[in-house]
Amino acid sequence: MLLNRLDGYEELSEDEDDEEDDVKESGAQADDETAPELVEVSAEQAASILATTEAEAEEANPGVTNARYLDSNLNIQEDKILDSDQNGVMMEWESDIMKKSAVALLPRPGLKVLNIGHGMGIVDGFFQEREPSEHHIIEAHADVVAEMKKRGWDSKPGVTIHEGRWQDILPGLVGEGVTFDAIYYDTFAESYADFRGFFSEQVIGLLEQEGGKWGFFNGMGADRQISYDVYQKVAEMDLFEAGFDVDWEDIPVPKLDGEWKGVKRAYWVVDNYRLPLCRFMD
Ligand SMILES: C[S@@+](CC[C@H](N)C(=O)[O-])C[C@H]1O[C@@H](n2cnc3c(N)ncnc32)[C@H](O)[C@@H]1O
């Protein structure tokens, strides 16, 4: 049900619906061992929580699509990037998360890394400190690309900038047979379906089979704890289906009070960030 919910809801027939209700009313457990475990709510409750959250998000950020975002002018400040509707694209408070992600993905110098979404360049700065042999960055927004060049990213050691959307760039890299020891994904105004398409179709062709690791900014549903938990379970199921193991590390997020001044919506409310580290299943 959750997977259907995230892709567009597929209605159950009346009979199937009744069967579900019977199971719940009698308190019986589903005996299908493959049934996914869901946090502490039923699938129906979870689906409705996600629906509410998505509806609220849509209300708060009407029409924030990737195409609209890429067409808009950005307000690039020292401690944040805002889009033309004052939505927070990237903020400095995420630095600790970016640092821990970079350290987990690049444990030693001399590895090849691909970062998707440059933003404020925070994670790329930490990747540079790890001295990769190759450092590829895909960035789609013209304002961010211009800022990157202004700050000299095009001449940093090992750096190759790919200007454009990952959807357009990655098939070319896969075609050339380029592979990476580490991949990081952190974009903006993309859907869960885009993200799932990324890891189920692209990562397999790009990540080193031996020891390759990849991660992503785990911010889905972070404006409410229950949505955050549910998204984690949904992602875990999809990652499993796509052939990845994932380890999660809890990182406490300090209280964010003043940070949201001038930002349209506080997109982070939960106390702990769960940092994902993914690898191919054995
Ligand atoms: C949240 S920011 C990334 C922040 C970055 N991790 C950092 O440490 O500063 C998201 C970035 O992804 C870029 N982006 C959005 N959609 C994209 C796409 N389809 N392909 C490539 N980059 C994209 C945005 O322009 C933005 O620079």
Side-chain angles (χ1 to χ4, degrees), residues 66 69-70 74 81 88-91 94-95 98 115-126 138-142 144-145 162 164-169 184-190 217 267:
N66 196 245
Y69 160 72
L70 293 176
L74 298 185
I81 299 180
V89 176
M90 180 63 188
M91 299 178 72
E94 296 175 41
S95 293
M98 294 299 142
N115 179 39
I116 301 171
H118 180 75
M120 292 170 68
I122 299 175
V123 83
D124 281 316
F126 291 124
I138 302 180
E139 174 52 53
H141 200 296
V144 177
V145 171
H162 304 267
R165 301 177 73 224
W166 62 263
Q167 290 87 338
D168 301 323
I169 307 282
Y184 191 63
Y185 174 100
D186 180 13
T187 64
F188 182 74
E190 293 205 295
F217 178 70
Y267 58 81

Side-chain angles (χ1 to χ4, degrees), residues 8 14 31 38 47 60 63 65 96 127 147 159 172 175 186 203 217 231 243 247 252 261 264 270 274 278:
E14 243 173 50
D31 61 1
L38 290 171
T65 62
D96 187 44
F127 283 143
E147 186 70 17
V159 167
D186 180 13
V203 174
F217 178 70
Y231 264 111
D247 291 324
K261 198 161 176 278
K264 187 168 176 185
V270 301
R274 289 194 195 118
C278 313

Side-chain angles (χ1 to χ4, degrees), residues 140-162:
H141 200 296
D143 292 356
V144 177
V145 171
E147 186 70 17
M148 286 175 85
K149 291 185 178 164
K150 207 167 99 191
R151 295 184 182 212
W153 273 96
D154 46 349
S155 53
K156 292 201 190 247
V159 167
T160 305
I161 301 174
H162 304 267

Side-chain angles (χ1 to χ4, degrees), residues 42-253:
S42 71
E44 273 175 349
Q45 284 171 307
S48 95
I49 287 159
L50 286 182
T52 313
T53 308
E54 285 179 4
E56 280 171 2
E58 174 61 25
E59 201 185 319
N61 302 322
V64 183
T65 62
N66 196 245
R68 183 181 144 108
Y69 160 72
L70 293 176
D71 260 356
S72 74
N73 293 324
L74 298 185
N75 176 353
I76 301 180
Q77 305 174 14
E78 269 311 305
D79 63 344
K80 57 176 128 19
I81 299 180
L82 301 178
D83 72 4
S84 52
D85 297 318
Q86 273 70 56
N87 294 300
V89 176
M90 180 63 188
M91 299 178 72
E92 198 177 33
W93 67 260
E94 296 175 41
S95 293
D96 187 44
I97 292 170
M98 294 299 142
K99 181 172 190 175
K100 292 197 161 90
S101 304
V103 170
L105 287 167
L106 288 187
R108 58 177 189 280
L111 298 175
K112 294 201 289 178
V113 63
L114 166 66
N115 179 39
I116 301 171
H118 180 75
M120 292 170 68
I122 299 175
V123 83
D124 281 316
F126 291 124
F127 283 143
Q128 275 288 291
E129 286 178 5
R130 322 286 303 162
E131 299 176 23
S133 61
E134 287 184 36
H135 183 174
H136 292 242
I137 305 170
I138 302 180
E139 174 52 53
H141 200 296
D143 292 356
V144 177
V145 171
E147 186 70 17
M148 286 175 85
K149 291 185 178 164
K150 207 167 99 191
R151 295 184 182 212
W153 273 96
D154 46 349
S155 53
K156 292 201 190 247
V159 167
T160 305
I161 301 174
H162 304 267
E163 298 178 28
R165 301 177 73 224
W166 62 263
Q167 290 87 338
D168 301 323
I169 307 282
L170 292 182
L173 292 179
V174 173
E176 288 168 29
V178 181
T179 56
F180 299 94
D181 301 294
I183 301 175
Y184 191 63
Y185 174 100
D186 180 13
T187 64
F188 182 74
E190 293 205 295
S191 67
Y192 178 78
D194 290 316
F195 172 55
R196 193 174 54 192
F198 163 74
F199 67 72
S200 52
E201 286 161 33
Q202 305 294 338
V203 174
I204 190 161
L206 292 163
L207 190 66
E208 274 292 339
Q209 292 285 336
E210 284 297 313
K213 291 188 257 184
W214 73 276
F216 57 93
F217 178 70
N218 181 24
M220 293 172 292
D223 53 359
R224 191 184 300 189
Q225 186 66 54
I226 190 67
S227 323
Y228 196 61
D229 294 342
V230 170
Y231 264 111
Q232 180 189 357
K233 288 291 170 191
V234 171
E236 213 163 44
M237 287 188 270
D238 283 339
L239 287 164
F240 180 81
E241 209 168 274
F244 297 106
D245 272 331
V246 54
D247 291 324
W248 306 93
E249 183 195 348
D250 267 16
I251 300 177
V253 176

